[in-house]
Amino acid sequence: MGSEAQELHFLLIPLMSQSHLLPFTDMAKHLAERGVSVTVVMTPLNALRYESVLDHARTSDLDIHFLTLPFPCKEAGLPEGCENADSLPSSDLITAFFDASNMLQGPLEKRLEAMEDKPSCIITDICFPWTTDVAQKFGLPRIVFHTISCFTLLCSHSINRSKVMERVKSDDERFVVPGLPDKVEFTKAQLPQMMKDGPEDLEELLDKFKAAELSADGVMVNSFEELEKSYVKGYQKVAKKLWCVGPLSLSPGVDSAKLDRGNKSSIDPNQCLDWLDSRDPKSVLYVCFGSLCHVSALQLVELALGLEASHCCFMWVIRKGDHSQELEKWLSEYGFEERTTGRGLIIRGWAPQVMILSHPSVGGFMTHCGWNSTLEAVSSGVPMITWPMFAEQFYNEKQIAQVLQIGVSLGVQRPVEWVEEDKVGVMVSREAVQHAIGRLMDEGEEGTERRLRVKELGKAASQAVAEGGSSYFNLTLVIHYVQQMLSRKKSTSRLMRHY
Ligand code: UDP
């Protein structure tokens, strides 16, 4: 364990959503490996779900703790127990979820006041502008941590600053994002809700996020420089201090923690490994749409028929929320599992994704393009079939399929707004699924080159987080920066006392 950070204590404040909690808890491990003492703000149910982080810390002698605050579900108008974005029953409750998250400020301040070993720094989610006040009140440096890429950050920044959207007449008109290193086009429809002419309160929220980012002492990103050099450079002109410290899911010597990341795995990991072990190298397509996307039963049936027609081996994760009676009835009446027996495995619930992606039998990943999933695939050198659904996923798709050329796009044109999947019917046909699988798993020139490119990036990712790598070095810079700020603060207060 490193000793570069003796006496430092970082307080991490993540949004209670899997795609934020996972990189934040991964960061806790990386920091603790360097000798930093880390406290992660949690809520009771999330603390239970992330127990494996503490187990790992105990067995590896890492100084990681949770500061558990009750999540004010009732006060914010959320159903009891709705402590994580993945348990929201409807998209109408997103605002209430943010309200509840904002209400954590008061209780957190009380706990900080009572704390003997006060933190030396706050690392906060971009979603919590109120951490600016907390940092000021306790005289702490504050660093914002982004769980998205520099490509996405620069795209959103350029779209906002250039006001290009004012010239776009319809939802489906294509426009070029100004000032990017590559020619990147989107339609207005594909942009995250917050970027469109949304309700005023959403626009206001976005402005608050931006202000809280620009006033922070620094900005960390879960990405690595070798993946998106020109976009990192581009965003360095926007953020005061920018450090890429990822991919944080790649942490040395934490294999056991790969099994129950964010949830208990719904499949016995040994069964999963046995199944993968029995397949040929690079022959399996892994299909998973993250922790939040809802896909209608109708669309899942179409996907199933595409998987069947592809004749490819597959491991398909059906999210708990999408695992409906209607789908189960179809699967059994059609005899889907019998028809694909020997080459297909369905996981109903939560899969050990990082473990699966790093298995040599996995040769492709059909993904909704969440940034964590994208980075995990890159880290394992696995090419992707891109099926973006909402939020910043269309940005990630562009980066994967067009800029990095490590994926095959399904050509989805419009987002499926959260929990509105039943209204849109089938967006991707079985033929499109079959065709994309054929292209991705193909061993011809195009497929081989794509595979080589992602393999190289996978190697670069491992090197970035290893000692001497760019992300490892950047984390050192963060630690030194906080140390410097603290010693400056100490000498100022000594001087003040003197006069
Ligand atoms: N994940 C997992 N098992 C699953 C589904 C998701 O471990 O069955 C993890 C996945 O590895 C990733 C995260 O959940 O780290 C999902 O984050 P992402 O940014 O990809 O998408 P989101 O959930 O925000 O849509």
Side-chain angles (χ1 to χ4, degrees):
M1 195 187 297
S3 57
E4 57 198 316
Q6 305 268 307
E7 291 174 37
L8 282 186
H9 173 195
F10 283 22
L11 179 73
L12 273 49
I13 315 181
L15 181 76
M16 299 296 141
S17 171
Q18 297 296 70
S19 54
H20 294 237
L21 284 160
L22 282 166
F24 265 90
T25 48
D26 285 339
M27 165 138 52
K29 289 177 211 159
H30 282 267
L31 284 167
E33 291 272 351
R34 307 290 194 91
V36 176
S37 153
V38 186
T39 300
V40 188
V41 172
M42 280 282 173
T43 65
L45 291 179
N46 287 305
L48 277 180
R49 287 167 78 165
Y50 280 78
E51 228 172 6
S52 66
V53 173
L54 295 183
D55 293 342
H56 168 70
R58 267 188 293 273
T59 51
S60 314
D61 203 14
L62 298 178
D63 197 359
I64 303 179
H65 304 271
F66 288 167
L67 188 163
T68 307
L69 300 171
F71 200 62
C73 294
K74 209 165 141 211
E75 294 85 331
L78 290 170
E80 208 51 54
C82 203
E83 294 184 14
N84 187 306
D86 70 359
S87 37
L88 286 177
S90 142
S91 56
D92 300 340
L93 291 172
I94 294 175
T95 317
F97 184 73
F98 275 103
D99 288 345
S101 308
N102 292 337
M103 286 180 207
L104 294 177
Q105 180 182 352
L108 176 62
E109 287 182 358
K110 278 210 180 91
R111 292 287 292 273
L112 287 176
E113 271 156 21
M115 221 182 233
E116 255 177 53
D117 173 22
K118 293 231 184 342
S120 26
C121 165
I122 289 179
I123 300 188
T124 173
D125 212 295
I126 182 68
C127 308
F128 300 141
W130 50 263
T131 53
T132 316
D133 300 333
V134 180
Q136 240 164 31
K137 191 164 173 184
F138 292 88
L140 303 173
R142 183 180 59 95
I143 294 173
V144 163
F145 174 44
H146 283 294
T147 54
I148 52 179
S149 69
C150 288
F151 175 85
T152 289
L153 287 165
L154 197 61
C155 279
S156 324
H157 176 76
S158 302
I159 293 172
N160 265 329
R161 201 193 41 184
S162 64
K163 302 206 184 303
V164 59
M165 300 289 288
E166 287 174 7
R167 300 191 292 274
V168 177
K169 292 181 194 72
S170 72
D171 270 10
D172 296 313
E173 183 185 325
R174 306 192 78 75
F175 69 92
V176 177
V177 183
L180 293 191
D182 297 279
K183 183 180 175 205
V184 177
E185 286 184 332
F186 292 102
T187 63
K188 186 171 171 182
Q190 293 171 330
L191 299 186
Q193 195 61 42
M194 275 187 171
M195 299 286 295
K196 302 181 204 170
D197 319 321
E200 254 175 45
D201 52 343
L202 269 187
E203 262 181 50
E204 253 172 53
L205 198 63
L206 197 65
D207 290 345
K208 276 190 193 157
F209 287 178
K210 196 79 213 165
E213 182 193 7
L214 295 180
S215 66
D217 294 295
V219 172
M220 289 163 94
V221 184
N222 190 16
S223 182
F224 60 107
E225 291 171 3
E226 293 75 6
L227 180 70
E228 43 173 2
K229 237 179 218 130
S230 49
Y231 293 90
V232 176
K233 269 198 178 150
Y235 205 66
Q236 266 162 347
K237 293 185 188 135
V238 180
K240 210 192 286 177
K241 277 200 176 299
L242 185 79
W243 300 284
C244 287
V245 293
L248 291 167
S249 60
L250 276 180
S251 36
V254 290
D255 272 0
S256 62
K258 281 187 190 158
L259 302 182
D260 295 321
R261 278 171 58 81
N263 262 330
K264 196 117 205 86
S265 169
S266 307
I267 182 169
D268 173 0
N270 289 324
Q271 187 201 341
C272 188
L273 283 177
D274 286 348
W275 193 89
L276 287 168
D277 285 346
S278 67
R279 308 289 126 190
D280 290 335
K282 307 262 168 265
S283 67
V284 177
L285 178 79
Y286 171 66
V287 183
C288 182
F289 302 125
S291 68
L292 290 175
C293 294
H294 289 265
V295 187
S296 69
L298 206 64
Q299 178 64 81
L300 289 176
V301 167
E302 203 65 18
L303 165 62
L305 292 169
L307 287 172
E308 186 193 9
S310 74
H311 300 293
C312 180
C313 290
F314 63 87
M315 188 177 260
W316 174 21
V317 186
I318 303 177
R319 244 189 101 233
K320 205 165 141 212
D322 293 343
H323 183 234
S324 61
Q325 272 185 358
E326 193 187 347
L327 176 70
E328 208 51 50
K329 187 164 173 274
W330 180 85
L331 287 170
S332 110
E333 283 175 4
Y334 184 71
F336 180 77
E337 281 166 283
E338 294 77 54
R339 280 166 177 262
T340 55
T341 193
R343 71 175 173 96
L345 180 72
I346 296 184
I347 299 175
R348 294 164 171 86
W350 191 256
Q353 178 162 304
V354 169
M355 182 192 90
I356 293 170
L357 284 171
S358 58
H359 195 282
S361 297
V362 175
F365 178 18
M366 184 182 284
T367 173
H368 70 304
C369 309
W371 183 241
N372 292 288
S373 295
T374 304
L375 266 187
E376 289 158 13
V378 167
S379 304
S380 296
V382 174
M384 289 160 265
I385 293 177
T386 57
W387 185 335
M389 302 203 188
F390 68 97
E392 93 294 356
Q393 293 157 13
F394 284 87
Y395 291 139
N396 297 337
E397 172 184 61
K398 276 280 155 95
Q399 191 171 10
I400 298 166
Q402 182 199 319
V403 178
L404 298 169
Q405 296 180 34
I406 54 171
V408 170
S409 165
L410 274 167
V412 178
Q413 293 302 321
R414 287 193 152 245
V416 181
E417 290 311 338
W418 201 11
V419 206
E420 300 213 325
E421 71 287 353
D422 286 326
K423 292 187 196 151
V424 294
V426 169
M427 301 264 277
V428 178
S429 68
R430 66 192 80 170
E431 292 80 15
V433 168
Q434 183 188 358
H435 179 69
I437 297 175
R439 273 186 68 196
L440 190 84
M441 305 302 272
D442 179 47
E443 286 173 9
E445 200 181 327
E446 184 198 307
T448 309
E449 282 180 3
R450 189 184 298 118
R451 213 170 277 290
L452 275 177
R453 276 192 292 273
V454 71
K455 210 172 147 201
E456 283 305 311
L457 288 174
K459 268 195 224 152
S462 303
Q463 283 163 1
V465 290
E467 207 166 333
S470 58
S471 294
Y472 188 94
F473 179 67
N474 283 338
L475 198 61
T476 307
L477 289 182
V478 173
I479 293 170
H480 287 174
Y481 182 63
V482 173
Q483 268 167 337
Q484 273 169 10
M485 287 190 73
L486 292 177
S487 37
R488 226 176 292 143
K489 202 177 104 187
K490 270 189 200 150
S491 29
T492 318
S493 53
R494 258 201 307 270
L495 267 177
M496 301 281 273
R497 271 203 305 273
H498 187 71
Y499 288 106

